[in-house]
Amino acid sequence: MKQLKTYNGKNILILGLGKSGFSVAKLLLKLGAKLTLNDKKDLSNDPKAQELEKIGVRVISGYHPVDLFEKESFDYLVKNPGIPYENPMVEQAQAMKIPVITEPEIALSASEAPYVCVTGSNGKTTTVMLTQEIMDHHLSKKGGHAYAVGNIGVPISEVVEKATSNDLLVVEMSSFQLLGVTDIKPKVAAIVDIYNNVHLDYHKTFDNYVNAKLRITQSQDENDYFIANWDQKDILEKEKKATKAKIITFSEKDDTADYFIGEKYLASQDDAEIMNIDDIKIPGIHNQQNSLVAIAISKILGATNEDIQAALSTFTGAKHRLQYVMTYNKRRFYNDSKSTNIEAASVAIPSFKVPEIWIAGGLDRGFTFDDLVPLIKEHVKSAVLYGETKYLLADAARKAGLKDKDIIIVNTLQEAVPRAYDVSDEGDVILFSPACASWDQFNTFEQRGDYFVKFIEELNTK
């Protein structure tokens, strides 16, 4: 880890505990900062808060002490990425022209290891994990390692101390995190895709959301690389204007892109047979696209086809992202709890060539599901629907031609799993791809996915 002087002796306010707040606090202490941590939740019995207090962090919880800004001077406010900019502490910091940043800004500036950054509306976690697998295989030949960090669930601050110049950080960046960075400079940056109707409750407009994503490349120069989706022409034009890096393109459909999906192989303009498509373990053309991005990043960094083939032929999927769970009585179960929006479900549903029992539902954000009608019509045999959106999803299923007997309405996911099994036949796929956020019944999509797996295991014990 670099011994930065940037934060030494600085008075820093951390807003929000969570994983990133806890990790960045410990990192900043080692970099010589004086810290105050504030969380609106009561942290009086929180073990992480107690640990931070023992090592010198002042913890203020249960409310937001806006008057603190009048009592003392802060050099930075480091906020949890999910906290909106309308938060009174953030608004006060901005009014006083105190820099508002997020954990990646600090952690990456302290990293001795080189790093690449990946973002997108869908597919970024799988792309990061694939890249990590390929590059770990490549770097291990000389004793190095690749680490998957960031929005994937492992704070960058946890890894920077042990990662050396022989290693690589593969960083997943959310739009929330990117809004709080000013000076990250990845050797390779990638945007897998950008879709509308994603996080607009936070960003307010689609343009704001796109601009947040584009911050991934804002500090790159002509010696860096930017991986862009050839098939999203409108976004590509914005990316060309935003980046100074060399653009490398990928495409699901167009063999004039730098990397593309061929008839039998994932290919590039330089190599027609990088990876046999039939040897890729994770299903769906969207995962072939994710693989292309991972290949493009890894090739720039020196990986060979052997590294790529070794990783992609064994990787079985990121947890909660079209994750194969088990086969029970000749039915295959897939957990796609990360499908928190219509676009994510639209890439999961066409991933299989056998009949599907589709489990969906969750938080009602005011959308209809008409965009899914053609996919339901083509791929879904029965739909088991729960949560706030069950009747909206049922309306889409009817429009797709499903009969009432094939549309099962229940209240909870726990009820949905055995009902899906009951209407399935041998050879079917039971796909949990909710198309909705989890917050009507679960705290996170991870918790929702874990419960889905638990409910399958309960089936298996009956």
Side-chain angles (χ1 to χ4, degrees):
M1 182 178 76
K2 297 175 184 175
Q3 288 303 311
L4 292 179
K5 301 296 184 184
T6 310
Y7 306 105
N8 186 40
K10 301 299 183 182
N11 193 22
I12 298 176
L13 175 62
I14 298 174
L15 188 60
L17 184 54
K19 281 185 180 180
S20 65
F22 178 72
S23 298
V24 78
K26 295 177 78 173
L27 175 62
L28 281 168
L29 282 178
K30 289 172 183 172
L31 294 173
K34 176 186 175 184
L35 300 182
T36 300
L37 185 142
N38 173 234
D39 198 304
K40 193 174 182 179
K41 293 184 296 185
D42 180 9
L43 300 177
S44 54
N45 295 312
D46 187 287
K48 287 186 176 180
Q50 292 169 354
E51 181 179 341
L52 291 179
E53 286 184 311
K54 285 179 182 177
I55 58 177
V57 179
R58 175 176 55 169
V59 176
I60 303 172
S61 71
Y63 71 108
H64 288 318
V66 178
D67 61 345
L68 194 61
F69 290 99
E70 299 173 7
K71 298 175 182 177
E72 59 185 282
S73 175
F74 289 99
D75 297 294
Y76 296 93
L77 185 146
V78 181
K79 80 174 191 69
N80 181 294
I83 294 173
Y85 283 80
E86 293 81 8
N87 178 282
M89 299 292 281
V90 179
E91 288 185 330
Q92 185 63 29
Q94 290 179 318
M96 299 178 70
K97 302 195 181 307
I98 298 168
V100 177
I101 58 177
T102 53
E103 181 255 357
E105 176 85 358
I106 298 161
L108 291 176
S109 69
S111 178
E112 184 182 324
Y115 59 90
V116 299
C117 293
V118 178
T119 194
S121 298
N122 298 309
K124 56 186 178 291
T125 296
T126 298
T127 301
V128 163
M129 294 187 73
L130 287 167
T131 305
Q132 185 272 331
E133 293 273 343
I134 296 168
M135 290 307 301
D136 198 60
H137 190 276
H138 175 66
L139 294 171
S140 65
K141 299 168 188 174
K142 294 185 178 180
H145 296 285
Y147 298 93
V149 294
N151 192 60
I152 198 168
V154 180
I156 308 163
S157 300
E158 283 187 10
V159 177
V160 290
E161 283 189 75
K162 64 181 176 182
T164 72
S165 58
N166 296 320
D167 300 325
L168 176 72
L169 304 183
V170 186
V171 186
E172 179 183 329
M173 297 287 286
S174 71
S175 59
F176 303 162
Q177 290 172 317
L178 285 165
L179 274 178
V181 299
T182 58
D183 192 28
I184 64 166
K185 190 177 182 294
K187 179 63 178 175
V188 188
I191 297 181
V192 180
D193 49 34
I194 297 181
Y195 290 106
N196 209 339
N197 297 326
V198 180
H199 298 314
L200 296 190
D201 49 348
Y202 187 98
H203 293 287
K204 310 306 179 189
T205 69
F206 182 57
D207 282 343
N208 287 345
Y209 176 58
V210 173
N211 290 334
K213 292 292 190 186
L214 292 175
R215 292 172 75 95
I216 200 170
T217 187
Q218 66 183 357
S219 297
Q220 288 188 298
D221 60 33
E222 61 277 3
N223 296 312
D224 301 316
Y225 294 85
F226 179 71
I227 313 297
N229 191 326
W230 183 254
D231 300 329
Q232 294 192 317
K233 299 298 186 187
D234 291 346
I235 303 298
L236 182 60
E237 288 306 308
K238 295 177 186 292
E239 291 167 338
K240 287 178 178 178
K241 293 176 183 177
T243 189
K244 295 177 182 176
K246 182 179 179 180
I247 295 178
I248 305 294
T249 59
F250 64 93
S251 174
E252 284 187 4
K253 311 161 189 173
D254 191 337
D255 62 8
T256 63
D258 295 308
Y259 289 83
F260 57 92
I261 300 172
E263 188 174 334
K264 294 183 178 179
Y265 289 86
L266 300 185
S268 73
Q269 297 302 325
D270 298 325
D271 190 342
E273 298 183 356
I274 297 174
M275 179 75 201
N276 190 318
I277 292 170
D278 289 341
D279 291 337
I280 298 172
K281 292 296 183 187
I282 47 179
I285 193 168
H286 65 292
N287 278 322
Q288 294 173 30
Q289 173 182 279
N290 297 336
S291 298
L292 280 179
V293 181
I295 289 169
I297 296 169
S298 301
K299 282 281 198 176
I300 291 167
L301 298 176
T304 66
N305 286 2
E306 189 270 332
D307 295 319
I308 292 163
Q309 291 158 8
L312 268 60
S313 63
T314 56
F315 181 75
T316 56
K319 194 175 182 182
H320 309 301
R321 294 156 177 85
L322 209 56
Q323 169 200 6
Y324 170 72
V325 180
M326 69 167 64
T327 298
Y328 175 59
N329 286 345
K330 300 185 179 178
R331 285 91 163 158
R332 285 181 292 151
F333 287 81
Y334 284 84
N335 168 24
D336 194 39
S337 183
K338 183 61 170 68
S339 166
T340 57
N341 54 55
I342 293 167
E343 287 75 17
S346 71
V347 296
I349 293 169
S351 295
F352 305 96
K353 297 179 181 179
V354 299
E356 295 173 23
I357 313 300
W358 178 43
I359 303 174
L363 183 74
D364 185 358
R365 279 178 157 157
F367 304 133
T368 69
F369 296 88
D370 288 356
D371 287 350
L372 295 176
V373 168
L375 296 173
I376 298 170
K377 185 174 184 178
E378 184 175 354
H379 297 278
V380 175
K381 170 179 165 181
S382 297
V384 184
L385 312 170
Y386 78 96
E388 291 181 359
T389 54
K390 56 191 175 186
Y391 296 116
L392 289 169
L393 287 159
D395 183 58
R398 290 189 188 95
K399 289 178 180 176
L402 290 188
K403 305 298 183 186
D404 285 345
K405 68 180 180 63
D406 297 319
I407 302 171
I408 295 97
I409 304 290
V410 296
N411 291 317
T412 67
L413 180 59
Q414 186 170 17
E415 297 172 80
V417 172
R419 292 296 300 277
Y421 174 79
D422 288 343
V423 299
S424 67
D425 295 307
E426 290 185 0
D428 290 349
V429 159
I430 298 176
L431 170 65
F432 177 44
S433 188
C436 303
S438 60
W439 302 320
D440 61 334
Q441 297 184 8
F442 301 95
N443 293 327
T444 64
F445 74 82
E446 293 97 337
Q447 183 190 56
R448 177 172 67 181
D450 288 340
Y451 270 100
F452 174 67
V453 173
K454 175 178 179 287
F455 300 148
I456 298 169
E457 291 169 347
E458 289 174 356
L459 259 186
N460 199 20
T461 58
K462 290 181 180 178

